[in-house]
Amino acid sequence: MFKVFTQLSEFKKAREELHNVSIGLVPTMGNLHAGHISLVKKSLAENELTIVSIFVNPTQFGPNEDFDKYPRTLEDDLNLLREASSGRDFWVFAPKSIEEIYPKGFSTQIAVQGELTSKLCGPIRPGHFEGVATVVYLLFAISKPNVAYFGQKDFQQTRVIKRMVRDLFLPVTISVLPIIREDSGLAMSSRNQYLTAEQKAEALKLYHSLKKIAEEIKACGIEKGLALASQLKREDSRFEYLEILESEDLKVPSPQDQKLVIAGVLKMGQTRLLDNLLVEIN
Ligand code: AMP
């Protein structure tokens, strides 16, 4: 059955009544697209009950970021999810207010520290990953999923969540699924709708640059890849970062590292577009 919960108390009560049911959780901020739906489909395939949360989490936005204008399209989201659920047990948790999640007096924060958050988006968005880790912890605590699904699109986020789960012995498996792209190659994102058609075409520069760097690494090694990444970044000030890191701990890569991530942010006006590619060398 397809059920929508807008109150935490109702959602918690329903969850407490469930026993011995395998549960997949897909945390989202709504404005769903094919990227989110790929996570939902995987959860449907692997679990008896799928729970999708839709919550634009204020604590992961900085003071000058797009919290107020972030697209909120609950009706469309529910239609998409109802269709994707095709009659299976499916719950949507869409808290009706911020206070459902953060009641008066809320005072706790989860901080994943060190290299995982001191690079890439960490320094550019102070407090962002604390906001993400805290809300994801909360969603795990109230949904008690067996598996939670995240997109590789937010690669650093997946590393932070996996580390939190490991460090705090949380009883959940984290499943990370590939980036879903538009036909052009542009990584799907709710923020793409801030772009004009022209900006969308220009935004492809990010994906093309990641691919060029990946080819350079494979053909000529990490050093050449690093040189190309810094050259491309120097040539276009819209790149907030364009980096190659070892993909487990997000350390600066050494020549022995075989699993790498090339991660970039391109700023189109006020909009930050994220993308990344994983590269394995041997
Ligand atoms: P968001 O609603 O943007 O917070 O995203 C919710 C989840 O969907 C996160 O785990 C994202 O990484 C994932 N996601 C967003 N865009 C994509 C995409 N293009 N492909 C795959 N997963 C995605």
PDB file of all heavy atoms in Angstrom, residues 140-171:
ATOM      1  N   PHE A 140      17.730   7.549   9.876  1.00  0.00           N
ATOM      2  CA  PHE A 140      18.034   6.145  10.176  1.00  0.00           C
ATOM      3  C   PHE A 140      17.393   5.755  11.511  1.00  0.00           C
ATOM      4  O   PHE A 140      16.833   4.669  11.651  1.00  0.00           O
ATOM      5  CB  PHE A 140      19.550   5.914  10.284  1.00  0.00           C
ATOM      6  CG  PHE A 140      20.296   5.953   8.963  1.00  0.00           C
ATOM      7  CD1 PHE A 140      21.680   5.875   8.929  1.00  0.00           C
ATOM      8  CD2 PHE A 140      19.608   6.059   7.764  1.00  0.00           C
ATOM      9  CE1 PHE A 140      22.373   5.895   7.721  1.00  0.00           C
ATOM     10  CE2 PHE A 140      20.297   6.092   6.548  1.00  0.00           C
ATOM     11  CZ  PHE A 140      21.683   6.010   6.539  1.00  0.00           C
ATOM     12  N   ALA A 141      17.480   6.651  12.497  1.00  0.00           N
ATOM     13  CA  ALA A 141      16.968   6.323  13.838  1.00  0.00           C
ATOM     14  C   ALA A 141      15.454   6.110  13.814  1.00  0.00           C
ATOM     15  O   ALA A 141      14.940   5.243  14.519  1.00  0.00           O
ATOM     16  CB  ALA A 141      17.335   7.441  14.811  1.00  0.00           C
ATOM     17  N   ILE A 142      14.742   6.874  13.012  1.00  0.00           N
ATOM     18  CA  ILE A 142      13.278   6.741  13.030  1.00  0.00           C
ATOM     19  C   ILE A 142      12.767   5.723  12.004  1.00  0.00           C
ATOM     20  O   ILE A 142      11.715   5.138  12.209  1.00  0.00           O
ATOM     21  CB  ILE A 142      12.569   8.105  12.851  1.00  0.00           C
ATOM     22  CG1 ILE A 142      12.949   8.778  11.544  1.00  0.00           C
ATOM     23  CG2 ILE A 142      12.879   9.034  14.025  1.00  0.00           C
ATOM     24  CD1 ILE A 142      12.448  10.193  11.431  1.00  0.00           C
ATOM     25  N   SER A 143      13.515   5.482  10.929  1.00  0.00           N
ATOM     26  CA  SER A 143      13.046   4.532   9.900  1.00  0.00           C
ATOM     27  C   SER A 143      13.599   3.129  10.120  1.00  0.00           C
ATOM     28  O   SER A 143      13.051   2.161   9.610  1.00  0.00           O
ATOM     29  CB  SER A 143      13.485   4.964   8.501  1.00  0.00           C
ATOM     30  OG  SER A 143      13.228   6.304   8.264  1.00  0.00           O
ATOM     31  N   LYS A 144      14.715   3.037  10.804  1.00  0.00           N
ATOM     32  CA  LYS A 144      15.418   1.763  11.028  1.00  0.00           C
ATOM     33  C   LYS A 144      15.468   0.911   9.757  1.00  0.00           C
ATOM     34  O   LYS A 144      14.927  -0.205   9.716  1.00  0.00           O
ATOM     35  CB  LYS A 144      14.766   0.983  12.161  1.00  0.00           C
ATOM     36  CG  LYS A 144      14.749   1.727  13.485  1.00  0.00           C
ATOM     37  CD  LYS A 144      14.348   0.767  14.596  1.00  0.00           C
ATOM     38  CE  LYS A 144      13.952   1.464  15.863  1.00  0.00           C
ATOM     39  NZ  LYS A 144      12.625   2.123  15.789  1.00  0.00           N
ATOM     40  N   PRO A 145      16.097   1.422   8.714  1.00  0.00           N
ATOM     41  CA  PRO A 145      16.166   0.657   7.462  1.00  0.00           C
ATOM     42  C   PRO A 145      17.239  -0.423   7.515  1.00  0.00           C
ATOM     43  O   PRO A 145      18.196  -0.310   8.285  1.00  0.00           O
ATOM     44  CB  PRO A 145      16.567   1.722   6.435  1.00  0.00           C
ATOM     45  CG  PRO A 145      17.388   2.695   7.226  1.00  0.00           C
ATOM     46  CD  PRO A 145      16.845   2.696   8.633  1.00  0.00           C
ATOM     47  N   ASN A 146      17.075  -1.453   6.701  1.00  0.00           N
ATOM     48  CA  ASN A 146      18.149  -2.429   6.521  1.00  0.00           C
ATOM     49  C   ASN A 146      19.197  -1.869   5.573  1.00  0.00           C
ATOM     50  O   ASN A 146      20.388  -2.086   5.750  1.00  0.00           O
ATOM     51  CB  ASN A 146      17.600  -3.731   5.940  1.00  0.00           C
ATOM     52  CG  ASN A 146      16.587  -4.347   6.865  1.00  0.00           C
ATOM     53  OD1 ASN A 146      15.416  -3.971   6.830  1.00  0.00           O
ATOM     54  ND2 ASN A 146      17.026  -5.253   7.718  1.00  0.00           N
ATOM     55  N   VAL A 147      18.704  -1.214   4.523  1.00  0.00           N
ATOM     56  CA  VAL A 147      19.597  -0.646   3.509  1.00  0.00           C
ATOM     57  C   VAL A 147      19.160   0.796   3.241  1.00  0.00           C
ATOM     58  O   VAL A 147      17.966   1.087   3.218  1.00  0.00           O
ATOM     59  CB  VAL A 147      19.508  -1.424   2.167  1.00  0.00           C
ATOM     60  CG1 VAL A 147      20.594  -0.979   1.203  1.00  0.00           C
ATOM     61  CG2 VAL A 147      19.579  -2.927   2.390  1.00  0.00           C
ATOM     62  N   ALA A 148      20.139   1.693   3.058  1.00  0.00           N
ATOM     63  CA  ALA A 148      19.806   3.056   2.635  1.00  0.00           C
ATOM     64  C   ALA A 148      20.539   3.335   1.330  1.00  0.00           C
ATOM     65  O   ALA A 148      21.697   2.937   1.165  1.00  0.00           O
ATOM     66  CB  ALA A 148      20.198   4.066   3.700  1.00  0.00           C
ATOM     67  N   TYR A 149      19.847   3.997   0.412  1.00  0.00           N
ATOM     68  CA  TYR A 149      20.347   4.182  -0.958  1.00  0.00           C
ATOM     69  C   TYR A 149      20.738   5.644  -1.184  1.00  0.00           C
ATOM     70  O   TYR A 149      19.955   6.555  -0.907  1.00  0.00           O
ATOM     71  CB  TYR A 149      19.274   3.759  -1.963  1.00  0.00           C
ATOM     72  CG  TYR A 149      18.930   2.288  -1.814  1.00  0.00           C
ATOM     73  CD1 TYR A 149      17.988   1.864  -0.868  1.00  0.00           C
ATOM     74  CD2 TYR A 149      19.597   1.321  -2.552  1.00  0.00           C
ATOM     75  CE1 TYR A 149      17.705   0.519  -0.693  1.00  0.00           C
ATOM     76  CE2 TYR A 149      19.322  -0.027  -2.379  1.00  0.00           C
ATOM     77  CZ  TYR A 149      18.375  -0.420  -1.449  1.00  0.00           C
ATOM     78  OH  TYR A 149      18.110  -1.760  -1.273  1.00  0.00           O
ATOM     79  N   PHE A 150      21.934   5.824  -1.740  1.00  0.00           N
ATOM     80  CA  PHE A 150      22.442   7.166  -2.027  1.00  0.00           C
ATOM     81  C   PHE A 150      23.038   7.183  -3.434  1.00  0.00           C
ATOM     82  O   PHE A 150      23.475   6.138  -3.945  1.00  0.00           O
ATOM     83  CB  PHE A 150      23.533   7.564  -1.019  1.00  0.00           C
ATOM     84  CG  PHE A 150      23.004   7.740   0.385  1.00  0.00           C
ATOM     85  CD1 PHE A 150      22.913   6.653   1.245  1.00  0.00           C
ATOM     86  CD2 PHE A 150      22.574   8.975   0.832  1.00  0.00           C
ATOM     87  CE1 PHE A 150      22.411   6.805   2.539  1.00  0.00           C
ATOM     88  CE2 PHE A 150      22.067   9.143   2.115  1.00  0.00           C
ATOM     89  CZ  PHE A 150      21.986   8.057   2.972  1.00  0.00           C
ATOM     90  N   GLY A 151      23.086   8.366  -4.039  1.00  0.00           N
ATOM     91  CA  GLY A 151      23.634   8.488  -5.388  1.00  0.00           C
ATOM     92  C   GLY A 151      25.109   8.866  -5.350  1.00  0.00           C
ATOM     93  O   GLY A 151      25.518   9.702  -4.536  1.00  0.00           O
ATOM     94  N   GLN A 152      25.858   8.289  -6.250  1.00  0.00           N
ATOM     95  CA  GLN A 152      27.278   8.660  -6.409  1.00  0.00           C
ATOM     96  C   GLN A 152      27.421  10.135  -6.802  1.00  0.00           C
ATOM     97  O   GLN A 152      28.473  10.735  -6.651  1.00  0.00           O
ATOM     98  CB  GLN A 152      27.922   7.765  -7.465  1.00  0.00           C
ATOM     99  CG  GLN A 152      29.419   7.984  -7.630  1.00  0.00           C
ATOM    100  CD  GLN A 152      29.914   7.508  -8.980  1.00  0.00           C
ATOM    101  OE1 GLN A 152      29.634   6.382  -9.375  1.00  0.00           O
ATOM    102  NE2 GLN A 152      30.635   8.358  -9.693  1.00  0.00           N
ATOM    103  N   LYS A 153      26.334  10.691  -7.323  1.00  0.00           N
ATOM    104  CA  LYS A 153      26.320  12.121  -7.698  1.00  0.00           C
ATOM    105  C   LYS A 153      26.909  12.981  -6.584  1.00  0.00           C
ATOM    106  O   LYS A 153      27.662  13.911  -6.831  1.00  0.00           O
ATOM    107  CB  LYS A 153      24.878  12.509  -7.994  1.00  0.00           C
ATOM    108  CG  LYS A 153      24.571  13.970  -7.998  1.00  0.00           C
ATOM    109  CD  LYS A 153      24.829  14.517  -9.349  1.00  0.00           C
ATOM    110  CE  LYS A 153      24.710  16.030  -9.389  1.00  0.00           C
ATOM    111  NZ  LYS A 153      23.921  16.625  -8.350  1.00  0.00           N
ATOM    112  N   ASP A 154      26.520  12.679  -5.332  1.00  0.00           N
ATOM    113  CA  ASP A 154      27.046  13.423  -4.192  1.00  0.00           C
ATOM    114  C   ASP A 154      28.121  12.554  -3.540  1.00  0.00           C
ATOM    115  O   ASP A 154      27.920  11.998  -2.461  1.00  0.00           O
ATOM    116  CB  ASP A 154      25.911  13.750  -3.221  1.00  0.00           C
ATOM    117  CG  ASP A 154      24.854  14.605  -3.894  1.00  0.00           C
ATOM    118  OD1 ASP A 154      25.060  15.822  -3.980  1.00  0.00           O
ATOM    119  OD2 ASP A 154      23.850  14.045  -4.381  1.00  0.00           O
ATOM    120  N   PHE A 155      29.242  12.422  -4.227  1.00  0.00           N
ATOM    121  CA  PHE A 155      30.231  11.423  -3.837  1.00  0.00           C
ATOM    122  C   PHE A 155      30.768  11.642  -2.426  1.00  0.00           C
ATOM    123  O   PHE A 155      30.857  10.715  -1.623  1.00  0.00           O
ATOM    124  CB  PHE A 155      31.400  11.404  -4.836  1.00  0.00           C
ATOM    125  CG  PHE A 155      32.368  10.307  -4.523  1.00  0.00           C
ATOM    126  CD1 PHE A 155      32.046   9.000  -4.822  1.00  0.00           C
ATOM    127  CD2 PHE A 155      33.568  10.565  -3.882  1.00  0.00           C
ATOM    128  CE1 PHE A 155      32.908   7.961  -4.496  1.00  0.00           C
ATOM    129  CE2 PHE A 155      34.438   9.540  -3.552  1.00  0.00           C
ATOM    130  CZ  PHE A 155      34.102   8.243  -3.861  1.00  0.00           C
ATOM    131  N   GLN A 156      31.103  12.905  -2.136  1.00  0.00           N
ATOM    132  CA  GLN A 156      31.669  13.186  -0.809  1.00  0.00           C
ATOM    133  C   GLN A 156      30.650  12.841   0.281  1.00  0.00           C
ATOM    134  O   GLN A 156      31.003  12.305   1.336  1.00  0.00           O
ATOM    135  CB  GLN A 156      32.067  14.658  -0.730  1.00  0.00           C
ATOM    136  CG  GLN A 156      32.899  14.995   0.492  1.00  0.00           C
ATOM    137  CD  GLN A 156      33.426  16.411   0.444  1.00  0.00           C
ATOM    138  OE1 GLN A 156      32.970  17.237  -0.356  1.00  0.00           O
ATOM    139  NE2 GLN A 156      34.383  16.721   1.305  1.00  0.00           N
ATOM    140  N   GLN A 157      29.385  13.139  -0.004  1.00  0.00           N
ATOM    141  CA  GLN A 157      28.315  12.797   0.949  1.00  0.00           C
ATOM    142  C   GLN A 157      28.281  11.290   1.223  1.00  0.00           C
ATOM    143  O   GLN A 157      28.129  10.850   2.359  1.00  0.00           O
ATOM    144  CB  GLN A 157      26.977  13.268   0.373  1.00  0.00           C
ATOM    145  CG  GLN A 157      25.753  12.748   1.063  1.00  0.00           C
ATOM    146  CD  GLN A 157      24.487  13.410   0.524  1.00  0.00           C
ATOM    147  OE1 GLN A 157      24.276  14.598   0.714  1.00  0.00           O
ATOM    148  NE2 GLN A 157      23.662  12.661  -0.174  1.00  0.00           N
ATOM    149  N   THR A 158      28.467  10.487   0.172  1.00  0.00           N
ATOM    150  CA  THR A 158      28.430   9.031   0.378  1.00  0.00           C
ATOM    151  C   THR A 158      29.594   8.579   1.259  1.00  0.00           C
ATOM    152  O   THR A 158      29.440   7.691   2.083  1.00  0.00           O
ATOM    153  CB  THR A 158      28.469   8.235  -0.949  1.00  0.00           C
ATOM    154  OG1 THR A 158      29.739   8.420  -1.581  1.00  0.00           O
ATOM    155  CG2 THR A 158      27.352   8.633  -1.884  1.00  0.00           C
ATOM    156  N   ARG A 159      30.735   9.227   1.098  1.00  0.00           N
ATOM    157  CA  ARG A 159      31.889   8.856   1.934  1.00  0.00           C
ATOM    158  C   ARG A 159      31.635   9.223   3.392  1.00  0.00           C
ATOM    159  O   ARG A 159      31.993   8.501   4.317  1.00  0.00           O
ATOM    160  CB  ARG A 159      33.184   9.533   1.442  1.00  0.00           C
ATOM    161  CG  ARG A 159      33.641   9.186   0.045  1.00  0.00           C
ATOM    162  CD  ARG A 159      33.784   7.707  -0.212  1.00  0.00           C
ATOM    163  NE  ARG A 159      34.475   7.018   0.841  1.00  0.00           N
ATOM    164  CZ  ARG A 159      34.220   5.775   1.244  1.00  0.00           C
ATOM    165  NH1 ARG A 159      33.252   5.080   0.682  1.00  0.00           N
ATOM    166  NH2 ARG A 159      34.920   5.228   2.210  1.00  0.00           N
ATOM    167  N   VAL A 160      31.045  10.408   3.586  1.00  0.00           N
ATOM    168  CA  VAL A 160      30.750  10.888   4.949  1.00  0.00           C
ATOM    169  C   VAL A 160      29.735   9.959   5.621  1.00  0.00           C
ATOM    170  O   VAL A 160      29.916   9.546   6.773  1.00  0.00           O
ATOM    171  CB  VAL A 160      30.219  12.348   4.888  1.00  0.00           C
ATOM    172  CG1 VAL A 160      29.603  12.779   6.208  1.00  0.00           C
ATOM    173  CG2 VAL A 160      31.349  13.293   4.488  1.00  0.00           C
ATOM    174  N   ILE A 161      28.688   9.594   4.907  1.00  0.00           N
ATOM    175  CA  ILE A 161      27.639   8.736   5.492  1.00  0.00           C
ATOM    176  C   ILE A 161      28.220   7.351   5.809  1.00  0.00           C
ATOM    177  O   ILE A 161      27.965   6.784   6.875  1.00  0.00           O
ATOM    178  CB  ILE A 161      26.437   8.590   4.522  1.00  0.00           C
ATOM    179  CG1 ILE A 161      25.822   9.950   4.204  1.00  0.00           C
ATOM    180  CG2 ILE A 161      25.399   7.621   5.083  1.00  0.00           C
ATOM    181  CD1 ILE A 161      25.175  10.650   5.329  1.00  0.00           C
ATOM    182  N   LYS A 162      28.996   6.826   4.874  1.00  0.00           N
ATOM    183  CA  LYS A 162      29.576   5.496   5.127  1.00  0.00           C
ATOM    184  C   LYS A 162      30.473   5.524   6.355  1.00  0.00           C
ATOM    185  O   LYS A 162      30.491   4.578   7.143  1.00  0.00           O
ATOM    186  CB  LYS A 162      30.384   5.014   3.922  1.00  0.00           C
ATOM    187  CG  LYS A 162      29.507   4.444   2.830  1.00  0.00           C
ATOM    188  CD  LYS A 162      30.355   3.598   1.898  1.00  0.00           C
ATOM    189  CE  LYS A 162      29.469   2.773   1.002  1.00  0.00           C
ATOM    190  NZ  LYS A 162      30.177   1.798   0.207  1.00  0.00           N
ATOM    191  N   ARG A 163      31.233   6.601   6.511  1.00  0.00           N
ATOM    192  CA  ARG A 163      32.137   6.690   7.660  1.00  0.00           C
ATOM    193  C   ARG A 163      31.355   6.828   8.964  1.00  0.00           C
ATOM    194  O   ARG A 163      31.674   6.202   9.964  1.00  0.00           O
ATOM    195  CB  ARG A 163      33.098   7.881   7.477  1.00  0.00           C
ATOM    196  CG  ARG A 163      34.175   7.979   8.532  1.00  0.00           C
ATOM    197  CD  ARG A 163      35.083   6.753   8.564  1.00  0.00           C
ATOM    198  NE  ARG A 163      35.662   6.471   7.269  1.00  0.00           N
ATOM    199  CZ  ARG A 163      36.807   6.973   6.817  1.00  0.00           C
ATOM    200  NH1 ARG A 163      37.508   7.797   7.566  1.00  0.00           N
ATOM    201  NH2 ARG A 163      37.265   6.646   5.631  1.00  0.00           N
ATOM    202  N   MET A 164      30.283   7.612   8.923  1.00  0.00           N
ATOM    203  CA  MET A 164      29.439   7.752  10.119  1.00  0.00           C
ATOM    204  C   MET A 164      28.873   6.387  10.525  1.00  0.00           C
ATOM    205  O   MET A 164      28.900   6.012  11.701  1.00  0.00           O
ATOM    206  CB  MET A 164      28.296   8.731   9.831  1.00  0.00           C
ATOM    207  CG  MET A 164      27.232   8.758  10.923  1.00  0.00           C
ATOM    208  SD  MET A 164      25.860   9.871  10.554  1.00  0.00           S
ATOM    209  CE  MET A 164      24.878   8.887   9.417  1.00  0.00           C
ATOM    210  N   VAL A 165      28.395   5.647   9.531  1.00  0.00           N
ATOM    211  CA  VAL A 165      27.804   4.336   9.811  1.00  0.00           C
ATOM    212  C   VAL A 165      28.838   3.395  10.409  1.00  0.00           C
ATOM    213  O   VAL A 165      28.573   2.678  11.370  1.00  0.00           O
ATOM    214  CB  VAL A 165      27.179   3.760   8.517  1.00  0.00           C
ATOM    215  CG1 VAL A 165      26.894   2.282   8.649  1.00  0.00           C
ATOM    216  CG2 VAL A 165      25.920   4.534   8.169  1.00  0.00           C
ATOM    217  N   ARG A 166      30.048   3.447   9.849  1.00  0.00           N
ATOM    218  CA  ARG A 166      31.115   2.589  10.354  1.00  0.00           C
ATOM    219  C   ARG A 166      31.521   2.997  11.769  1.00  0.00           C
ATOM    220  O   ARG A 166      31.559   2.184  12.680  1.00  0.00           O
ATOM    221  CB  ARG A 166      32.326   2.677   9.423  1.00  0.00           C
ATOM    222  CG  ARG A 166      33.375   1.619   9.687  1.00  0.00           C
ATOM    223  CD  ARG A 166      34.704   1.984   9.051  1.00  0.00           C
ATOM    224  NE  ARG A 166      35.402   2.982   9.856  1.00  0.00           N
ATOM    225  CZ  ARG A 166      36.616   3.438   9.584  1.00  0.00           C
ATOM    226  NH1 ARG A 166      37.256   3.019   8.513  1.00  0.00           N
ATOM    227  NH2 ARG A 166      37.188   4.325  10.360  1.00  0.00           N
ATOM    228  N   ASP A 167      31.756   4.296  11.953  1.00  0.00           N
ATOM    229  CA  ASP A 167      32.269   4.773  13.242  1.00  0.00           C
ATOM    230  C   ASP A 167      31.252   4.580  14.365  1.00  0.00           C
ATOM    231  O   ASP A 167      31.625   4.323  15.508  1.00  0.00           O
ATOM    232  CB  ASP A 167      32.637   6.266  13.158  1.00  0.00           C
ATOM    233  CG  ASP A 167      33.885   6.512  12.312  1.00  0.00           C
ATOM    234  OD1 ASP A 167      34.544   5.522  11.933  1.00  0.00           O
ATOM    235  OD2 ASP A 167      34.194   7.685  12.042  1.00  0.00           O
ATOM    236  N   LEU A 168      29.972   4.753  14.058  1.00  0.00           N
ATOM    237  CA  LEU A 168      28.943   4.692  15.114  1.00  0.00           C
ATOM    238  C   LEU A 168      28.244   3.328  15.164  1.00  0.00           C
ATOM    239  O   LEU A 168      27.244   3.175  15.859  1.00  0.00           O
ATOM    240  CB  LEU A 168      27.908   5.811  14.913  1.00  0.00           C
ATOM    241  CG  LEU A 168      28.461   7.243  14.931  1.00  0.00           C
ATOM    242  CD1 LEU A 168      27.333   8.263  14.774  1.00  0.00           C
ATOM    243  CD2 LEU A 168      29.228   7.517  16.221  1.00  0.00           C
ATOM    244  N   PHE A 169      28.771   2.356  14.434  1.00  0.00           N
ATOM    245  CA  PHE A 169      28.197   0.998  14.417  1.00  0.00           C
ATOM    246  C   PHE A 169      26.697   1.027  14.123  1.00  0.00           C
ATOM    247  O   PHE A 169      25.911   0.362  14.800  1.00  0.00           O
ATOM    248  CB  PHE A 169      28.430   0.279  15.760  1.00  0.00           C
ATOM    249  CG  PHE A 169      29.882   0.127  16.104  1.00  0.00           C
ATOM    250  CD1 PHE A 169      30.442   0.892  17.123  1.00  0.00           C
ATOM    251  CD2 PHE A 169      30.686  -0.763  15.408  1.00  0.00           C
ATOM    252  CE1 PHE A 169      31.796   0.763  17.434  1.00  0.00           C
ATOM    253  CE2 PHE A 169      32.031  -0.902  15.723  1.00  0.00           C
ATOM    254  CZ  PHE A 169      32.581  -0.128  16.738  1.00  0.00           C
ATOM    255  N   LEU A 170      26.284   1.812  13.147  1.00  0.00           N
ATOM    256  CA  LEU A 170      24.848   1.877  12.841  1.00  0.00           C
ATOM    257  C   LEU A 170      24.467   0.627  12.055  1.00  0.00           C
ATOM    258  O   LEU A 170      25.177   0.235  11.119  1.00  0.00           O
ATOM    259  CB  LEU A 170      24.522   3.144  12.040  1.00  0.00           C
ATOM    260  CG  LEU A 170      24.915   4.455  12.711  1.00  0.00           C
ATOM    261  CD1 LEU A 170      24.469   5.648  11.850  1.00  0.00           C
ATOM    262  CD2 LEU A 170      24.308   4.573  14.106  1.00  0.00           C
ATOM    263  N   PRO A 171      23.348   0.005  12.403  1.00  0.00           N
ATOM    264  CA  PRO A 171      22.989  -1.271  11.770  1.00  0.00           C
ATOM    265  C   PRO A 171      22.276  -1.078  10.436  1.00  0.00           C
ATOM    266  O   PRO A 171      21.103  -1.397  10.286  1.00  0.00           O
ATOM    267  CB  PRO A 171      22.067  -1.912  12.818  1.00  0.00           C
ATOM    268  CG  PRO A 171      21.440  -0.748  13.507  1.00  0.00           C
ATOM    269  CD  PRO A 171      22.427   0.380  13.469  1.00  0.00           C
TER     270      PRO A 171
END
